[in-house]
Structure formats: structure tokens, C-alpha cells
Amino acid sequence: MMERIREGVNSIAVKIILGLIILSFVFAGVGSYIIGGNANVAAKVGNAEIARGEFEQAYQNERNRMQSQLGDYFSNLLADPSYVESFRRSVLDRMVNDLLLEQHAQSLGLRVSDAQIRTMILEMPQFQTEGTFDQDIYQSALRRAGFSPESFAEYLRRDLIRNQLLTAVQSSDFALEGEVEAQSKLITQTREVRKIALSLEDYANQVELTEEEITSYYEQNSASYMRPEQVKVAYIELSAESLRKQVSVTDEQALTYYNEHLDKYSSDEQRSVSHILTQDAESAQAILDELNAGADFATLAQDKSEDFGSSEEGGSLGWIERDVMDPAFEEAAFALVNAGDITEVVQSDFGFHIIKLDDVRTSVVKPFEEVSDEIIAEIIDQEAVDQFYELQSDLERVAFEYPDSLDDAAEAVNQPIQVTDFVSQVDAPQILLSQAVMQAILSPEVKEDGLNSEVIEVAPEHIIVVRVEDARDEIVLPLEEVREQVELRLSQLRGEENAIATANEVLESLEQDGSALTKFDLSFSESEMIDRSSAIADVVFAMAKPQQGEPVYAQAKEMNGDIVIVALDKVIADIEPQYMAQIGNQIVQMNAQQDLSGLLSIIRNNTDIDYFIVDTQ
């Protein structure tokens, strides 16, 4: 089918069909935006909305956090569209839950005053130097995080209101002393045991198998000896990272780049400014009149500015650069010429400002020697990326024009063709294991028609083209090929049966005279303490407590398959006070989490919630 499309791609009929398809996408796609009206909304919760931009920023932040923690493992997860959709949904769910809690808290009348916000900011250790609030640190931290003082205060207000509700829910839980004690006894309990281990390997080695048994087991368990569907894959891999190694940069090139981009290696002009903020123009004008009459700027800022973050410092915002403040504020601040100059009243999105210029730092160019390594690395990166995208276009074109071989494509991008042995979806090389690549390999065009795949992105600036050189179907491997595996498995099964039979006979004997111990030449080990982390804990902690000093016996199985006869001699339930405190806290936390989940469930059931976007990006 792909060949027929290639042959007819320039025909008039095909062009007409493609035109109709494009028109259908235009009307369907654009119409959905026009009619739906929710292009900028990620979710609606009651009468409130979560903006799409806000959601995308939260999603990206969470994605970056997970990437930094899990690295390549998380990158592989992101190759699965269904995982990405689920991941995006979980981020949006958390945002919806936060908004629901905030709305519920407001409905209960929970509020946070300006004074509380101000006190909290002044006491935050992130903004302090030697125990004192530092205005410069405060302003620079907010700029890096993309906040203005006003938006940061609003963010804190919403968070504190929500936390008031969470605290109320969580602090209402408690754990009874008897509950904690009972739970502590169960969790910290240990048991004194002796063991007899019946080695699975020893019992398996004693098994003698007949040909009839081997054949019968093989036939009954043939599904265990299937060779999966396998393919021999040829592929061309292209990445910007590999191209970096081929790029070299001379000192002359680096110096030329430096001279052409001096602005990149120059510190921005900085201005130290102070401001007085009010929420209405009349108040701002009245303050400006006082300043023009000779009043002290710092004093007025302390008394009348509504930016409590800077008012304590006489209105000082510290050093600012371009493109970090509100545009109207920035334009006015950078229009001032001399230290001490004051603006007229300036209106921004945050209110009305009067701005004073305190000092100016001019731009300074870093010397070439200081930035040469950085420049060389940047040129190498850029050239590698440029080469990558140029070669990507060549690879796409040639692999499509010559679909029956990778030879021409490999020559076009000067990359080797790599060929695997026969592999399945389980043991294929890592680069072939992503869902997109495996889907391409198993597609009819590639697997059955023998055509090149499309170019597939496996990571940013990292692509691959695959083709199937050969394929073989799933089959049951003949007995002679898997005889060793069959005999080993059957010996283990027979050996385990014999070990269990021995254990049962010994257990039965222990309830009487214990003669089976002599018969099989077995003896118990020295006593040892077992806690709940032991491999045989499930069996040991299910055994009845010994009475009148008489041991209790049971059969268990170790992680390595050995059968174990256990003698339980003593149950020890000593409780240490520090563990009781920890366990009590855990009980309270679990109860609080259950209460919170229940509250959210009730609120969700009573609130209209609409999701408009969780699709992968």
C-alpha cells in the first residue's frame, strides 16, 4: 500500500483527496476551538477555572522534578503516551483538589490577614541573612521564581488558607493509648525459633527422571518453552550528542563569536531602586506631593507603602535588571537619570508606584579568557544541533525515496547501519524498546512489506529509522533444544515434592516421639530471633503462641525454595517507648489521610468539575 501511495503521490486524484482531508481538519480543528471556547482553560471547578497556562507550568515543574529524580527511567516512561496522559491527569487532579480545599476553606470563613502574610515573609529563613530579613535576597528570589511581591503574597495567602483547613482536619485525629499499645505489640513483636532447612538443590539432585516423565512434562508444559516472535532489525541512529564529537572549534572562531555576541558576555545594567506602593491614584499623588515638598522618601515608605516586603527597608527593592519587573514600572525606573531622582505616579498591574533611583551599575564585559571554554562548548552544541536537523531532513527524505534499503540513507547522513541478531520485545536493544519504535517494527509496512520506517524520535534531538531484515514466528522449541531446561525444572518440582513429603513426615513425628528426625538424620539449628522482615515471617507470625513451654511446629519456604521446618519456642512482645510514639504518630497520620480523602470525596461529589485538557504534549 505504501508503494502505491508513493507512486501516485503526484497524481491529480491524490491531490484532490489530500485537499479534502486538509479541509476536514481545518473545519474540525478550528471549529472545535471556536465552538468549545475552552482553549485557555484546563479545568473548571465550580465557578472557578484553572488556566491552561497555569496547568502547563505545574505539569512542567512536576515533570522536571521527576526527571531529576529518576533520570533515564522517567524518560522511558514518557515515551508511552498512555503514561503521559495519566501523569498529566494526576497533576491536574492535584490542582483541582487544592482548589476544592481552598473553596471549602473560604466557605467556612477561614481567612488570613495581611499582617499574618507580612510576618510570615519576614520570618521565612530563605529571605534572611544572619537572622535578619534581607530585601535583596527576597527580591532576587521572587524574580527567579517568576513572582512579584504582590503575586507571591497572594500565593502565600491561598496556601495558608488551604493549610488552615488541612490542619483542622489533621489535628482533629487522635489514637487511643490501648490502640497504640496493641498495634505496637503486633508491629514490634519478635519470635524465637529453631529451624531445619531441607535443601531444594540436594533433593533435586537425588531425583532420577525417566524419558517418559521428561516427554510427558514437556508436552504438558509446552507453553513454557515457546520461542517468541522474533525479528532481525537494521537501523540508523542519529543524535546531536554523537555529532558533538565530530565538531571542532578554533580559537579564532571562538574569538569571532565573542566579538559578535558581546552583549551575551556583559553584565546587564543594574539599578538600585526604592518605591512606595498604594492601591489608589489619589493616595499616591498625595504622597508624591509630600515628597516634592521635601518629605523623606524612606520615612514615607515605612509609614504609607502597601508593599510590606519593602516598606521595612524604606521602600528599597535592591538591584533590578531589565525584563524582570512589570513593564510600566521598569520603563519608569530605567528612565530616571541621576541617583535621588523620583518618578511621577506610575500605574502598573499591582497598583500605583512612586519610584526613586538610588544607584546605578553600568554594564561590564567579561574578558574573553574567562568565557572562552563556555563559548567553545556553545558553538559545538549549536553546530551539532544544526547538523542534526539538517541530517534529519536528509534522513527523512532518502529513507522515504529509497524504502527498500537503508544503504542510501546511511550514506546520506554518514552513519553506520546497525543490525541486531533475532530479538523479541523482551530482549531487544534499549534503543528499540520504546513503544513508538516497537510499534513501527511490528507494523505491516515495516515487518511484512519490508519497508523503511518513518523517522522516529526516541529522545530530544535523537532519532532512528528501522527496517526488518528477517522475521520468524512464535514456535514451541523442540524438546532436544530445551531438554536441559525441562530436566532441571522437573527435577526441582520432584525434589520439592520429596522435601515437602519429608517435612510432613517430620512434623507428624514431632507431635509424637520425633523419631523421624533420627530416620532422616535431621536436627534443629540454634535458636534465632525472627521479626516481620524475615522471608518466613508470614508463616512464623501466623503460628499459635506456645503454651506451657511446649514448642509449636510448622512448615515454611525460604526465598531460595528450600523447605523449612520451624519450631516456635517463644513469643516476645516487649514494647520500647520510642517505638510507641512513632507508631502512635503513624496511626494519627493514617487516620488524618483517610479523613482528608473522605472530605475531598464529599466535596467532589457536590461540586461541578469539568476537565478540558489532559492530552499528551
Side-chain angles (χ1 to χ4, degrees):
M1 185 182 76
M2 291 295 293
E3 289 178 338
R4 288 199 295 274
I5 290 177
R6 289 185 172 92
E7 292 167 358
V9 72
N10 293 316
S11 72
I12 294 175
V14 170
K15 290 181 178 178
I16 292 173
I17 293 171
L18 290 175
L20 291 173
I21 292 173
I22 291 169
L23 283 174
S24 71
F25 277 116
V26 168
F27 287 116
V30 175
S32 68
Y33 283 103
I34 295 173
I35 297 169
N38 292 315
N40 295 319
V41 178
K44 187 174 181 181
V45 183
N47 295 324
E49 294 178 344
I50 297 174
R52 175 170 181 162
E54 183 183 356
F55 162 66
E56 294 294 350
Q57 183 62 52
Y59 165 69
Q60 196 60 51
N61 290 343
E62 183 65 10
R63 178 170 171 162
N64 292 341
R65 186 184 70 82
M66 294 289 288
Q67 185 72 61
S68 66
Q69 290 183 354
L70 303 179
D72 290 342
Y73 175 73
F74 186 65
S75 298
N76 291 334
L77 290 177
L78 292 178
D80 181 357
S82 61
Y83 174 81
V84 176
E85 182 176 350
S86 173
F87 181 60
R88 285 169 65 83
R89 177 62 181 246
S90 69
V91 173
L92 190 52
D93 274 337
R94 287 199 296 273
M95 297 180 73
V96 168
N97 286 344
D98 285 346
L99 187 51
L100 286 169
L101 291 173
E102 183 182 331
Q103 292 173 344
H104 188 61
Q106 290 174 344
S107 72
L108 296 174
L110 301 181
R111 299 290 185 268
V112 174
S113 68
D114 290 343
Q116 287 176 288
I117 299 290
R118 176 175 181 166
T119 300
M120 182 177 183
I121 291 176
L122 294 176
E123 293 178 353
M124 290 177 74
Q126 299 93 322
F127 304 144
Q128 293 185 355
T129 301
E130 296 180 356
T132 303
F133 180 80
D134 190 311
Q135 180 67 27
D136 289 341
I137 293 176
Y138 169 69
Q139 291 292 337
S140 62
L142 262 57
R143 286 196 294 271
R144 285 196 303 271
F147 284 111
S148 67
E150 293 77 14
S151 63
F152 181 64
E154 182 59 26
Y155 167 80
L156 285 181
R157 188 186 310 278
R158 295 175 61 183
D159 192 54
L160 285 172
I161 290 174
R162 192 166 55 245
N163 282 333
Q164 281 186 357
L165 176 61
L166 292 175
T167 300
V169 172
Q170 293 169 349
S171 62
S172 64
D173 273 297
F174 59 90
L176 297 172
E177 183 177 344
E179 180 184 11
V180 176
E181 183 176 350
Q183 193 70 18
S184 299
K185 286 181 178 179
L186 287 174
I187 292 175
T188 62
Q189 183 185 108
T190 58
R191 297 196 163 199
E192 183 178 313
V193 301
R194 291 168 291 128
K195 297 188 297 185
I196 297 174
L198 305 179
S199 169
L200 177 62
E201 182 179 0
D202 291 344
Y203 276 83
N205 290 337
Q206 297 170 14
V207 173
E208 295 183 1
L209 301 174
T210 66
E211 188 63 28
E212 182 180 354
E213 288 178 312
I214 295 171
T215 302
S216 176
Y217 179 81
Y218 167 76
E219 291 174 349
Q220 293 174 15
N221 297 275
S222 58
S224 301
Y225 302 100
M226 298 285 292
R227 185 188 67 201
E229 178 183 18
Q230 293 180 319
V231 290
K232 184 177 289 188
V233 181
Y235 62 93
I236 300 172
E237 182 182 0
L238 180 66
S239 70
E241 181 60 33
S242 64
L243 294 173
R244 286 184 84 261
K245 302 170 185 176
Q246 303 173 18
V247 179
S248 59
V249 179
T250 65
D251 290 340
E252 289 75 17
Q253 287 176 298
L255 184 58
T256 300
Y257 185 91
Y258 170 78
N259 290 326
E260 291 175 350
H261 300 83
L262 284 176
D263 57 317
K264 292 182 62 174
Y265 306 104
S266 304
S267 61
D268 293 329
E269 177 187 347
Q270 294 181 320
R271 294 192 163 213
S272 177
V273 298
S274 299
H275 82 141
I276 298 173
L277 173 69
T278 66
Q279 293 304 312
D280 64 89
E282 291 183 7
S283 298
Q285 186 60 52
I287 294 171
L288 180 61
D289 292 342
E290 291 187 58
L291 291 170
N292 289 334
D296 180 64
F297 191 98
T299 301
L300 286 180
Q302 289 177 342
D303 294 341
K304 300 185 176 183
S305 178
E306 296 179 26
D307 176 10
F308 45 78
S310 65
S311 60
E312 291 286 328
E313 305 296 324
S316 174
L317 295 175
W319 293 96
I320 66 171
E321 300 173 356
R322 288 191 182 275
D323 301 324
V324 296
M325 305 294 285
D326 178 272
F329 183 101
E330 187 173 287
E331 181 180 356
F334 278 84
L336 297 172
V337 177
N338 300 311
D341 287 354
I342 297 175
T343 66
E344 296 296 321
V345 175
V346 178
Q347 183 176 0
S348 77
D349 290 340
F350 306 106
F352 297 87
H353 310 261
I354 302 165
I355 307 168
K356 180 168 76 76
L357 178 62
D358 297 324
D359 201 356
V360 177
R361 287 178 183 164
T362 57
S363 174
V364 178
V365 180
K366 295 180 182 178
F368 172 73
E369 292 74 15
E370 186 177 325
V371 295
S372 60
D373 291 342
E374 177 186 341
I375 290 173
I376 290 173
E378 187 169 342
I379 294 174
I380 289 174
D381 286 341
Q382 189 56 56
E383 288 195 14
V385 170
D386 290 344
Q387 286 184 30
F388 170 80
Y389 285 110
E390 182 179 344
L391 292 174
Q392 178 180 3
S393 298
D394 292 340
L395 184 58
E396 289 174 337
R397 176 178 54 81
V398 177
F400 179 81
E401 291 177 350
Y402 301 93
D404 299 321
S405 170
L406 287 176
D407 294 340
D408 295 285
E411 184 177 351
V413 297
N414 193 30
Q415 295 294 320
I417 299 173
Q418 303 183 62
V419 182
T420 70
D421 197 353
F422 279 104
V423 294
S424 69
Q425 295 186 58
V426 176
D427 57 2
Q430 184 65 37
I431 193 170
L432 303 182
L433 287 178
S434 77
Q435 186 178 36
V437 176
M438 196 55 68
Q439 283 178 346
I441 291 172
L442 299 178
S443 67
E445 292 84 1
V446 176
K447 181 186 168 193
E448 297 172 13
D449 298 343
L451 302 178
N452 297 335
S453 73
E454 296 179 345
V455 167
I456 306 164
E457 183 180 45
V458 293
E461 290 156 2
H462 188 178
I463 57 176
I464 187 174
V465 174
V466 299
R467 65 176 290 105
V468 173
E469 295 289 327
D470 198 0
R472 55 190 188 189
D473 294 331
E474 179 182 60
I475 64 167
V476 177
L477 294 169
L479 175 58
E480 293 313 310
E481 284 190 31
V482 294
R483 175 177 290 274
E484 185 175 340
Q485 300 172 42
V486 172
E487 291 181 358
L488 176 62
R489 181 56 182 156
L490 186 53
S491 295
Q492 289 175 337
L493 291 174
R494 295 284 188 269
E496 183 178 50
E497 291 172 359
N498 294 339
I500 291 174
T502 300
N504 288 336
E505 186 175 341
V506 171
L507 287 172
E508 185 178 344
S509 170
L510 288 170
E511 297 298 332
Q512 300 171 10
D513 57 8
S515 58
L517 291 175
T518 303
K519 175 182 176 181
F520 294 108
D521 192 22
L522 298 174
S523 60
F524 282 99
S525 64
E526 295 294 325
S527 294
E528 60 179 288
M529 302 305 297
I530 295 292
D531 61 24
R532 294 185 182 274
S533 65
S534 170
I536 60 173
D538 287 348
V539 172
V540 172
F541 281 84
M543 296 169 68
K545 183 178 180 179
Q547 301 295 327
Q548 299 178 347
E550 292 296 323
V552 178
Y553 300 101
Q555 180 188 136
K557 190 174 184 178
E558 292 280 14
M559 291 291 292
N560 63 359
D562 290 350
I563 303 302
V564 180
I565 301 168
V566 181
L568 173 61
D569 295 323
K570 189 183 300 184
V571 173
I572 301 172
D574 294 336
I575 304 175
E576 298 186 24
Q578 68 268 28
Y579 290 135
M580 283 190 65
Q582 293 176 12
I583 291 168
N585 289 334
Q586 290 174 1
I587 293 174
V588 171
Q589 290 173 8
M590 289 173 59
N591 291 342
Q593 187 59 47
Q594 290 176 353
D595 290 346
L596 180 59
S597 297
L599 175 62
L600 276 170
S601 178
I602 293 171
I603 299 174
R604 275 182 169 270
N605 290 336
N606 291 289
T607 306
D608 292 330
I609 302 174
D610 295 310
Y611 287 80
F612 299 117
I613 175 170
V614 292
D615 57 309
T616 58
Q617 294 227 333

